Amino acid sequence: MTAISLGMPDVPVKLAERRRSRKIHVGPVAVGGDAPVSVQSMTTTKTSDIGATLQQIAELTASGCQIVRVACPTQDDAEALSTIARKSQIPVIADIHFQPKYVFQAIDAGCAAVRVNPGNIKQFDDKVKEIADAANAARTPIRIGVNAGSLDKRLLEKYGKATPEALAESALWECSLFEEHGFRDLKISVKHNDPVVMVNAYRLLAQQCDYPLHLGVTEAGPAFQGTIKSSVAFGALLSEGIGDTIRVSLSAPPVEEVKVGTQILESLGLRQRGLEIVSCPSCGRAQVDVYKLADEVTAGLDGMDVPLRVAVMGCVVNGPGEAREADLGVASGNGKGQIFVKGEVIRTVPEAKIVETLIDEAQKLAEQMEKDGVASGEPQVAVGG
């Protein structure tokens, strides 16, 4: 009899080959080329408040953020960059609008990279040589960050609005100016609040250059709406191999952006999955309170960071099959639950003992996986059925 592989695959199936892009280094984090897709976020504190900014960066670091961006609208912010860049555990990117002098201060401060928005900096094109020379000398990458809301007026006149073509042309024009001065340590973002416009703009860029691409839907909205828009846009592009680093923009605490970005990458097989809870959707067939069971199991396994799939199922239709396919699972019904470990039923317990038993068995599996040297990933809780 042919053996049937159960549980999570060791190697996730690829959706597509990654686009071949130039590799740059943002501090110790490689972006582009064969480097994994990285997750970024941005602090919400005043950068000049060094303590608060470093505290938020520490929280982001703990949540799995790999690169952090800090705003630099004032001289006080620029003066804080040196301390923040030195004390941060992850690479710091200075976000520069309006004042080109802060670009030079950010480079001098030792920031891992600088993001510039050409549409918001007066006479930016006239400063490119100076910026390129300074960035070259310090080996500091530059992100050309084009936003629909601050597109160069010349391109708005040409296209009438921020079309995909206008966004792509703006970014490539600025890149060409840097190229004239021998600077190619660039990455590009072209952000729009409409996922369809954003996706098409990145597709144009992917066809016309080899620079690494930073994906983002700008002003995506509150947590729910922003998560949907970012997931749709990132999923479309990443499934085509387009995208080297991502930032989910939410009207929510930045740690939530990192959680969503991490789960997007995990769901696409672009990052090692951590803990995953598979549970039934709302359904009239359920014979137990699946919502309550799933929430209690999730809470009980909080902090577990091994790649473990746990199925919490509430009826006899899909329950046994889903529980058997997971590393650990329960198929519930009639006040009882069959507990599965690696595809085998190990016991049947009363409904009141399901959560306790699953947590106990999960801990046993996690300990064994750690002994076996199974790589951990960022924790994930996914709801499916």
Side-chain angles (χ1 to χ4, degrees):
M1 180 181 291
T2 303
I4 299 175
S5 175
L6 300 174
M8 295 177 67
D10 293 330
V11 180
V13 177
K14 289 183 179 180
L15 287 172
E17 290 298 321
R18 286 279 297 282
R19 161 181 169 267
R20 290 182 178 274
S21 62
R22 181 190 304 269
K23 182 185 288 187
I24 66 171
H25 286 85
V26 180
V29 178
V31 177
D34 58 357
V37 179
S38 53
V39 176
Q40 304 191 23
S41 187
M42 186 173 182
T43 56
T44 58
T45 57
K46 289 186 180 298
T47 304
S48 57
D49 187 341
I50 294 174
T53 301
L54 286 172
Q55 175 61 36
Q56 193 167 78
I57 290 175
E59 293 168 0
L60 286 165
T61 303
S63 72
C65 186
Q66 294 163 284
I67 300 171
V68 64
R69 184 157 44 106
V70 299
C72 189
T74 71
Q75 182 62 37
D76 287 343
D77 297 320
E79 291 173 359
L81 290 175
S82 178
T83 302
I84 292 169
R86 187 175 70 254
K87 292 188 175 183
S88 173
Q89 293 178 296
I90 56 177
V92 173
I93 297 177
D95 188 67
I96 310 298
H97 297 259
F98 306 113
Q99 293 288 345
K101 67 179 181 179
Y102 298 148
V103 175
F104 302 104
Q105 287 185 255
I107 293 171
D108 290 341
C111 290
V114 178
R115 181 274 177 113
V116 295
N117 184 343
N120 271 346
I121 300 178
K122 291 181 179 179
Q123 287 84 44
F124 176 80
D125 293 355
D126 298 335
K127 297 286 185 181
V128 168
K129 184 182 186 307
E130 292 176 61
I131 293 173
D133 289 345
N136 250 332
R139 304 188 70 179
T140 305
I142 300 289
R143 168 156 75 96
I144 304 296
V146 175
N147 270 25
S150 53
L151 191 64
D152 190 299
K153 292 180 179 178
R154 293 168 294 183
L155 288 163
L156 283 176
E157 290 172 3
K158 177 178 178 180
Y159 289 96
K161 60 181 179 179
T163 64
E165 293 78 10
L167 295 169
E169 183 174 325
S170 175
L172 293 172
W173 165 254
E174 300 300 339
C175 287
S176 73
L177 298 181
F178 278 93
E179 290 167 359
E180 287 179 6
H181 303 292
F183 188 84
R184 291 180 171 79
D185 205 5
L186 301 164
K187 63 175 174 169
I188 302 174
S189 65
V190 283
K191 297 188 178 182
H192 198 288
N193 59 51
D194 185 326
V196 176
V197 175
M198 173 267 198
V199 166
N200 285 326
Y202 278 100
R203 284 173 173 161
L204 289 173
L205 284 177
Q207 295 167 3
Q208 297 177 54
C209 74
D210 69 348
Y211 290 115
L213 301 180
H214 168 117
L215 304 187
V217 178
T218 192
E219 294 108 24
F224 178 76
Q225 175 181 294
T227 295
I228 298 299
K229 290 170 77 170
S230 295
S231 299
V232 168
F234 293 2
L237 290 166
L238 291 168
S239 68
E240 297 172 13
I242 299 171
D244 301 289
T245 185
I246 64 173
R247 188 260 173 122
V248 176
S249 297
L250 301 177
S251 300
V255 165
E256 296 304 311
E257 298 182 350
V258 176
K259 290 179 180 178
V260 173
T262 299
Q263 290 196 20
I264 290 172
L265 295 183
E266 288 180 355
S267 67
L268 294 171
L270 294 172
R271 177 173 288 202
Q272 172 68 61
R273 289 172 176 167
L275 174 66
E276 181 182 9
I277 305 295
V278 178
S279 61
C280 294
S282 54
C283 172
R285 298 189 302 263
Q287 298 176 346
V288 296
D289 188 342
V290 180
Y291 298 158
K292 183 170 181 286
L293 283 180
D295 285 346
E296 290 178 353
V297 171
T298 300
L301 299 180
D302 184 43
M304 184 174 288
D305 61 357
V306 295
L308 187 69
R309 176 178 284 165
V310 181
V312 182
M313 308 303 295
C315 81
V316 296
V317 176
N318 296 319
E322 291 284 2
R324 189 175 288 112
E325 289 290 329
D327 298 296
L328 169 66
V330 60
S332 309
N334 297 321
K336 297 179 290 185
Q338 280 190 319
I339 306 297
F340 291 76
V341 174
K342 298 294 184 181
E344 301 292 335
V345 177
I346 61 165
R347 68 173 67 95
T348 299
V349 299
E351 183 177 339
K353 294 286 187 180
I354 288 175
V355 173
E356 174 188 330
T357 305
L358 284 177
I359 292 171
D360 182 56
E361 293 297 331
Q363 290 171 343
K364 290 178 185 177
L365 283 171
E367 289 172 6
Q368 187 59 51
M369 293 168 85
E370 288 170 353
K371 287 179 184 177
D372 294 341
V374 176
S376 63
E378 297 299 328
Q380 169 176 317
V381 176
V383 178

